[in-house]
Amino acid sequence: MNRPRLILDVAGVIATNLSPGFWEEAAMAGGTSYRQLKDSFSREIRESFWTGGISIEQFRDWLAGHGPDLSMERLSALAMRYLQPLPALGRIATWSRNADIHLLSNHREEWLSGLLAPVKEQVKSLTISSRAGYCKPDPRIYQLVCEQLGDGGGPHIYVDDQEKNLIPARALGWHTVIADPEGRWMEEVSQLLKQQR
């Protein structure tokens, strides 16, 4: 029988989002406002940062130009403080018994490696925007995931916490699940996988 493919976002699904805490603390460190710093990031470097067009060091220099002059160690510690595991990370081992697990995230590989180490053996593929060169909802990053999935297989179930990121997945025929903050989506996924046995 063909196993289902469970494709999970990282931030907001199996780990916490960096926003707003990361940006609030960075803004306070630099004597600027959260809104000002976040708006400047979105306008000036958001896409190039998440797609790997600039390095973490260049991001640190950009921050310094907007107020927060953090050492690389402090920047990394700040990111790790706001990138914490959610309960779904602990379910990956169980889900991997009934499905092939794939991760798809708009993130920095440097910041995710430690967080994902405990589930490395259960994950079949990891597509991260900083390595892929594309950000969701760009359809090209979903195509990269398709290449990792290979031919055949059971249904494709994709979980993300942002509706806009589910749209390209639906266009590929994937079953989509929105990750609600309360975590009810985890039971929905467990039920979907049980139905495929």
Side-chain angles (χ1 to χ4, degrees), residues 14 17 22 45 50 68 74 92 100 107 177 180 185:
I14 63 172
N17 278 305
F22 173 90
I45 64 164
W50 292 125
R74 190 157 172 227
I92 287 179
D100 291 342
H107 226 292
V177 176
D180 60 289
W185 69 268

Side-chain angles (χ1 to χ4, degrees), residues 66 114-115 168:
H66 288 75
L115 177 90

Side-chain angles (χ1 to χ4, degrees), residues 41-61:
F41 172 77
S42 296
R43 192 175 52 253
E44 297 171 20
I45 64 164
R46 178 191 175 278
E47 187 167 340
S48 59
F49 179 67
W50 292 125
T51 60
I54 66 171
S55 66
I56 296 282
E57 290 81 7
Q58 289 169 311
F59 173 60
R60 193 213 70 80
D61 293 343

Side-chain angles (χ1 to χ4, degrees), residues 8-196:
L8 301 168
D9 177 29
V10 175
V13 176
I14 63 172
T16 52
N17 278 305
L18 290 178
S19 289
F22 173 90
W23 294 103
E24 288 172 346
E25 195 166 332
M28 284 184 358
T32 187
S33 75
Y34 160 80
R35 181 54 36 212
Q36 199 173 22
L37 186 61
K38 192 71 172 24
D39 287 350
S40 293
F41 172 77
S42 296
R43 192 175 52 253
E44 297 171 20
I45 64 164
R46 178 191 175 278
E47 187 167 340
S48 59
F49 179 67
W50 292 125
T51 60
I54 66 171
S55 66
I56 296 282
E57 290 81 7
Q58 289 169 311
F59 173 60
R60 193 213 70 80
D61 293 343
W62 177 88
L63 277 174
H66 288 75
D69 193 5
L70 307 172
S71 67
M72 286 301 294
E73 294 77 19
R74 190 157 172 227
L75 177 60
S76 179
L78 182 61
M80 294 308 102
R81 186 173 316 132
Y82 292 101
L83 185 62
Q84 294 294 314
L86 288 172
L89 187 69
R91 293 212 186 183
I92 287 179
T94 301
W95 287 335
S96 71
R97 294 182 202 137
N98 300 312
D100 291 342
I101 309 295
H102 301 266
L103 302 181
L104 168 59
S105 183
N106 285 352
H107 226 292
R108 294 298 302 207
E109 186 173 14
E110 305 93 327
W111 289 349
L112 291 184
S113 58
L115 177 90
L116 299 177
V119 297
K120 187 177 179 182
E121 298 304 314
Q122 287 87 35
V123 173
K124 298 282 186 186
S125 76
L126 175 59
T127 305
I128 302 176
S129 62
S130 69
R131 188 173 13 161
Y134 307 113
C135 269
K136 295 178 294 179
D138 187 324
R140 293 175 290 184
I141 198 167
Y142 298 81
Q143 287 300 323
L144 293 175
V145 175
C146 287
E147 291 169 17
Q148 300 293 321
L149 298 176
D151 296 329
H156 299 57
I157 303 163
Y158 177 56
V159 182
D160 201 295
D161 65 323
Q162 295 188 46
E163 177 64 32
K164 67 181 181 181
N165 294 336
L166 299 177
I167 296 167
R170 287 188 196 116
L172 292 168
W174 298 357
H175 180 93
T176 60
V177 176
I178 189 82
D180 60 289
E182 298 76 28
R184 290 186 298 267
W185 69 268
M186 292 184 287
E187 290 312 313
E188 182 179 350
V189 165
S190 294
Q191 288 303 314
L192 287 166
L193 295 180
K194 280 181 189 170
Q195 293 167 13
Q196 300 303 318

